[in-house]
Amino acid sequence: MNEETIICPCEDVTYSDLESVLSLGAETFDDVKRFTRCGMGPCQAKACFYQVSKLISERKQIPLSKIPYTHMRLPLRMIPLESLLREDKEKPVKTSLSEGHANE
Ligand code: FES
């Protein structure tokens, strides 16, 4: 792994970026996330969490099992609140986003 190795492809965070953040005192994935946006991409840390956590574990001498998982964001696109409350899940809820789609 060299300085320009991409650790988080979604946000273009490199190994060098992580080293910088860890030298500033980051001790959790969320600390790294706040400084670099690592984990905030479309995959929501599925592709980078393990590598970052492993690096934190090695640098800070913290067992990997003690590194907390990152906080997750809600769905990427807006959904109507009604869709969470409905009991009848068979019928799709029409929204301004779904209007015009052929499968309605
Ligand atoms: S690879 Fe880091 S957020 Fe997707």
Side-chain angles (χ1 to χ4, degrees):
M1 193 175 318
N2 66 43
E3 298 292 306
E4 297 307 314
T5 301
I6 301 286
I7 302 295
C8 174
C10 293
E11 294 293 335
D12 289 336
V13 178
T14 64
Y15 179 78
S16 172
D17 296 330
L18 288 181
E19 288 288 348
S20 299
V21 169
L22 292 176
S23 71
L24 292 173
E27 293 187 344
T28 66
F29 187 91
D30 281 343
D31 290 343
V32 172
K33 184 175 168 179
R34 287 183 194 102
F35 280 102
T36 65
R37 294 191 50 86
C38 181
M40 296 175 83
C43 84
Q44 292 289 286
K46 288 181 184 71
C48 59
F49 179 77
Y50 178 73
Q51 277 199 314
V52 172
S53 296
K54 189 168 177 253
L55 195 62
I56 293 170
S57 172
E58 290 169 5
R59 295 294 187 277
K60 302 294 179 178
Q61 304 295 310
I62 302 169
L64 190 56
S65 61
K66 299 288 184 195
I67 310 278
Y69 198 73
T70 183
H71 289 92
M72 303 300 284
R73 288 178 22 193
L74 293 175
L76 285 176
R77 57 188 157 140
M78 295 190 311
I79 58 172
L81 190 55
E82 178 187 34
S83 69
L84 301 174
L85 301 174
R86 294 183 51 190
E87 291 181 18
D88 177 17
K89 301 207 185 278
E90 296 299 318
K91 292 182 182 176
V93 175
K94 289 191 176 188
T95 67
S96 60
L97 294 173
S98 64
E99 289 175 8
H101 288 245
N103 60 353
E104 293 179 343

